[in-house]
Amino acid sequence: MIDEPVLLTDLTDGVLTLTLNRPERRNAITRQMWTLLRDRLRDVEPGHDVRAVVLTGAGGAFSSGADLTATTGMDEFPDPNEEIRSVNDTVKLLHDLPVPTIAKVRGVAAGAGWNLALGCDFVVATPESRFCQIFARRALSVDTGGSWLLPRLVGLQQAKRLTMLADMIGADEAHDLGLVTWLRPDTEIDGFVAALAARLAAGPPVALAQTKSLIHYGIDRTLGEALAGEAAAQAVNLSAPDVLEAFAAFAEKRDPVYRRTPVAER
């Protein structure tokens, strides 16, 4: 019997789908999975074949979080600095990815699994999905970017409530808090995400990459710094052929078709 890979990859029409594939463990993330995900994300550059990324889980769950089953006693815990380095590299790569990212969530998204979803640009979930910052239940503090993401998404008090109490919340509450972008029935979520990913993949890759970066880091800048960053980004856009294609398409009353060429070649 051949074991299934723990991370499934599919690249179709510019959309890279990454599927956490341990359904028997509700896609609990192992060290190997962190490494595979990190290595795959490293290959993604704007303007290449990958124009959008979908992150999801197999078997009706997104991810129950990091897999802690291998450590049953304190003496068996690995070097935390070594462990967290690989995890943090993966989280940072996902957050900084220069293409749009979508988390497609069915079932549970807990702990590191939920924070991976929150690290995506958009979260699409089913009404049956459930979410939990489970760390405190394991005598752990929040990690995988949750301490940075949650206050920015929901404010300080709600971030403290979610992490310190570690309550499981439903999809409706997550949506009301701004932690889910869209809710779609289970029978519709695949088609909705496919259409969304296709729309993003058809967009101008350089402009989308710069817009994403400006929004991510503008929150920590002054208005003057944000304006300077926007001006620098527009200078890059205006030197790329994407702008000529957009203007031509507008004049010709057609949809633009952006070339899949690396930024360095422009």
Side-chain angles (χ1 to χ4, degrees):
M1 180 178 178
I2 299 175
D3 291 337
E4 285 285 324
V6 294
L7 181 69
L8 303 178
T9 64
D10 175 78
L11 178 59
T12 302
D13 296 331
V15 178
L16 174 65
T17 300
L18 301 173
T19 304
L20 305 174
N21 189 37
R22 293 184 73 216
E24 74 284 357
R25 297 290 304 166
R26 294 195 298 176
N27 302 315
I29 309 170
T30 63
R31 183 189 305 184
Q32 179 192 16
M33 293 168 74
W34 285 116
T35 301
L36 290 170
L37 186 58
R38 178 197 65 193
D39 292 346
R40 193 63 190 90
L41 293 174
R42 278 178 174 168
D43 296 335
V44 176
E45 298 180 32
H48 284 271
D49 288 339
V50 177
R51 302 284 291 272
V53 171
V54 175
L55 181 62
T56 191
F62 185 80
S63 173
S64 57
D67 189 348
L68 303 178
T69 58
T71 53
T72 57
M74 290 302 294
D75 293 339
E76 300 177 39
F77 276 93
D79 178 358
N81 292 323
E82 178 184 348
E83 286 289 299
I84 204 67
R85 191 175 298 116
S86 177
V87 173
N88 285 349
D89 286 348
T90 307
V91 170
K92 188 71 162 54
L93 280 167
L94 177 64
H95 179 79
D96 291 340
L97 211 63
V99 301
T101 55
I102 306 165
K104 181 170 65 175
V105 179
R106 283 186 169 97
V108 68
W114 189 10
N115 288 339
L116 271 182
L118 294 177
C120 293
D121 300 318
F122 307 102
V123 179
V124 186
T126 67
E128 297 77 27
S129 300
R130 296 171 297 131
F131 303 87
C132 182
Q133 291 288 325
I134 201 170
F135 304 97
R137 298 191 192 183
R138 307 291 182 259
L140 297 170
S141 55
V142 61
D143 63 20
T144 47
S147 67
W148 191 91
L149 289 163
L150 285 167
R152 285 164 171 78
L153 291 168
V154 299
L156 288 174
Q157 288 190 354
Q158 289 293 345
K160 291 173 183 176
R161 190 262 291 193
L162 291 168
T163 54
M164 292 182 179
L165 298 179
D167 289 333
M168 185 77 72
I169 67 171
D172 286 337
E173 183 175 0
H175 182 261
D176 290 344
L177 287 169
L179 299 171
V180 168
T181 322
W182 293 281
L183 285 175
R184 288 296 182 272
D186 186 77
T187 55
E188 299 178 13
I189 190 172
D190 290 336
F192 180 87
V193 170
L196 175 62
R199 181 179 176 186
L200 291 166
V206 177
L208 292 184
Q210 293 188 104
T211 293
K212 177 173 175 174
S213 180
L214 287 166
I215 291 175
H216 275 187
Y217 297 103
I219 196 169
D220 294 323
R221 295 173 178 169
T222 66
L223 175 59
E225 290 169 339
L227 290 170
E230 290 172 359
Q234 291 293 32
V236 174
N237 294 326
L238 291 170
S239 67
D242 289 349
V243 165
L244 296 178
E245 168 61 12
F247 278 46
F250 175 77
E252 297 166 14
K253 295 181 171 57
R254 61 173 176 83
D255 292 331
V257 179
Y258 299 109
R259 294 189 300 138
R260 296 181 180 180
T261 53
V263 174
E265 295 178 13
R266 292 178 182 265

